Amino acid sequence: VEFLYCDLASMKSIRQFVQRFRAKNCPLHVLVNNAGVMLVPERKTEDGFEEHFGLNYLGHFLLTNLLLDTLKQSGTHSHNARIITVSSATHYVGELHLNDLQSRYSYSPHGAYAQSKLALVLFTYRLQHLLTANGSHVTANVVDPGVVNTELYKHVFWAVKVVKWMTAWLFFKTPEEGASTSIYAAVSPEMEGAGGCYLYNEERTKSADVSYDEELQRRLWTESCKMVGIFDESSRVP
């Protein structure tokens, strides 16, 4: 195991991380996009993005795109490289505001978090479409880990913390249990060659209806490319 520093809330840090990783000339068979914050007070990343959208979504969007060439070179016909992105059941109530992705006009911690998690699902489906169109040996899937007992809840209201403390043993998954579906997506032979799936408890299930809107997927992808400053190669793909 080797550690390389990467701050997903910093576009500069992400680019530096990718440079350091590429310099090692290592293959990349599995990328798990798992960083995140939840219900933080209104604040911005160093690049000026609303923190939920900037860290949870845009950071992973940029990281994945910068590593795509390495992933494509690492995958083979019999062993695809795999991209696993961790979303949340919260995406079911999320709304994507393309005219206000930064929640500048009306900030709600719950709304901003749900939007970032919906964006991750839309991103995964569009990414898989592009990978298939290019004939790449890379698959992209999205995972719902369930309700997991981690420090992600540190910004919730104090009464919720008390309830969580009292009931976590009964209703919350352990971190190990929460990781199981991501691990399943990353290494299971059953997922070989399968992409564009939403997984919960190691089973394929249906995500929110709006997440299958291909026009919304395209528009989010194009806007995301502008926001992080990369060329939108998907413009050539219908």
Side-chain angles (χ1 to χ4, degrees):
V1 175
E2 185 174 350
F3 173 80
L4 291 177
Y5 178 81
C6 181
D7 180 357
L8 267 292
S10 164
M11 302 295 118
K12 179 181 178 181
S13 178
I14 293 168
R15 292 181 182 278
Q16 290 175 338
F17 164 80
V18 171
Q19 285 182 338
R20 289 194 295 268
F21 179 79
R22 282 179 172 170
K24 294 181 176 295
N25 292 315
C26 294
L28 179 57
H29 299 108
V30 177
L31 171 65
V32 180
N33 292 318
N34 187 53
V37 293
M38 184 175 77
L39 307 184
V40 296
E42 186 173 10
R43 60 194 188 197
K44 292 180 172 60
T45 67
E46 66 178 46
D47 301 289
F49 300 125
E50 186 278 316
E51 189 167 353
H52 290 99
F53 197 77
L55 194 160
N56 294 1
Y57 171 67
L58 286 177
H60 291 122
F61 179 86
L62 178 61
L63 178 67
T64 302
N65 274 280
L66 294 181
L67 291 172
L68 264 185
D69 284 343
T70 305
L71 284 156
K72 291 176 180 178
Q73 293 163 10
S74 305
T76 65
H77 178 72
S78 58
H79 290 89
N80 282 230
R82 304 186 189 189
I83 301 167
I84 296 93
T85 297
V86 179
S87 181
S88 162
T90 312
H91 91 274
Y92 286 106
V93 297
E95 296 181 27
L96 194 78
H97 301 286
L98 279 170
N99 61 340
D100 187 25
L101 291 172
Q102 303 300 320
S103 303
R104 291 192 177 101
Y105 298 115
S106 177
Y107 182 77
S108 157
H110 293 85
Y113 177 71
Q115 177 180 242
S116 72
K117 291 302 180 176
L118 174 59
L120 290 171
V121 182
L122 289 158
F123 153 68
T124 299
Y125 292 163
R126 181 59 177 168
L127 175 59
Q128 182 59 56
H129 178 80
L130 298 174
L131 292 168
T132 301
N134 294 329
S136 303
H137 298 306
V138 183
T139 59
N141 291 297
V142 60
V143 164
D144 173 2
V147 183
V148 188
N149 189 12
T150 69
E151 287 298 307
L152 195 64
Y153 296 87
K154 65 182 180 181
H155 292 289
V156 300
F157 186 58
W158 69 266
V160 178
K161 289 183 180 179
V162 172
V163 173
K164 173 180 174 287
W165 177 75
M166 295 173 62
T167 62
W169 65 274
L170 182 61
F171 298 113
F172 284 61
K173 292 182 178 181
T174 65
E176 291 78 12
E177 291 168 340
S180 65
T181 302
S182 293
I183 296 170
Y184 172 80
V187 302
S188 172
E190 296 172 22
M191 293 301 298
E192 179 56 48
C197 302
Y198 186 85
L199 301 167
Y200 175 64
N201 283 346
E202 301 181 15
E203 293 184 358
R204 303 179 201 192
T205 188
K206 190 175 182 294
S207 55
D209 290 342
V210 68
S211 66
Y212 298 102
D213 184 333
E214 294 182 359
E215 177 60 22
L216 189 60
Q217 295 168 13
R218 280 193 290 267
R219 292 176 65 192
L220 174 63
W221 186 282
T222 298
E223 186 61 28
S224 302
C225 288
K226 293 177 184 176
M227 295 174 83
V228 301
I230 60 175
F231 177 69
D232 182 11
E233 296 185 11
S234 75
S235 57
R236 308 191 193 101
V237 180

